[in-house]
Amino acid sequence: MAFDESDRHPIDVHVGGRVRMRRKFCNMSQSELGEKIGLTFQQVQKYETGANRVSASKLYQISETLGVPVSYFFTGYSEGEEPADDTALHSERAVGAFLQTDEGIQLAEAFPRILGAKKRRKLLDLVRSLADD
């Protein structure tokens, strides 16, 4: 039986994304995290994509290894649909999705090093124009 992405529970996807983001911030590979918690990199990958649900004990080990409380992995999750006019929540989710990508992390680290508000504004304008294409 083939895996159906619609079988993924939103909280599993969210928790997995937060694991991935924190692991990346710690400059740790999936293999390194797996070794530290007694798993293969493939299993870590499945956790991070939400394909497999993380058990409570394994989530605790992950939190200890990555130096964050277990609650970190649930931060930003709210059940149900957000109100259409809730721009703050929409922005928070967009930032979370951005920081769950390798490129997002690299851009977030590099952006503050750009000297001058004018240069940062030009970069923002470029990104917006690319997003509109």
Side-chain angles (χ1 to χ4, degrees):
M1 179 176 200
F3 178 74
D4 182 0
E5 283 196 26
S6 65
D7 291 340
R8 296 178 189 190
H9 192 281
I11 192 68
D12 296 329
V13 173
H14 179 83
V15 168
R18 298 282 292 175
V19 169
R20 183 175 192 276
M21 183 170 60
R22 180 62 186 175
R23 176 182 59 76
K24 293 265 184 201
F25 280 143
C26 293
N27 293 315
M28 189 180 296
S29 71
Q30 290 175 331
S31 295
E32 290 170 317
L33 177 58
E35 281 179 35
K36 292 178 184 226
I37 62 172
L39 296 174
T40 63
F41 83 88
Q42 292 97 331
Q43 185 60 50
V44 171
Q45 186 176 53
K46 288 177 182 180
Y47 285 164
E48 289 183 359
T49 61
N52 284 11
R53 183 167 291 157
V54 184
S55 70
S57 59
K58 204 50 84 173
L59 191 58
Y60 180 80
Q61 284 182 298
I62 292 169
S63 74
E64 290 287 303
T65 302
L66 298 179
V68 292
V70 171
S71 61
Y72 168 87
F73 301 108
F74 298 92
T75 301
Y77 180 80
S78 63
E79 205 165 359
E81 293 299 313
E82 63 195 67
D85 62 346
D86 192 345
T87 55
L89 183 57
H90 175 73
S91 293
E92 186 177 314
R93 286 186 178 173
V95 168
F98 171 72
L99 291 175
Q100 289 179 13
T101 67
D102 292 338
E103 298 84 1
I105 291 170
Q106 291 171 17
L107 278 170
E109 289 174 342
F111 190 82
R113 295 193 310 263
I114 299 171
L115 300 177
K118 204 173 203 178
K119 288 181 182 178
R120 289 192 299 269
R121 176 64 58 192
K122 285 185 178 194
L123 179 60
L124 177 59
D125 291 342
L126 172 63
V127 170
R128 283 183 176 150
S129 70
L130 291 171
D132 289 341
D133 284 348

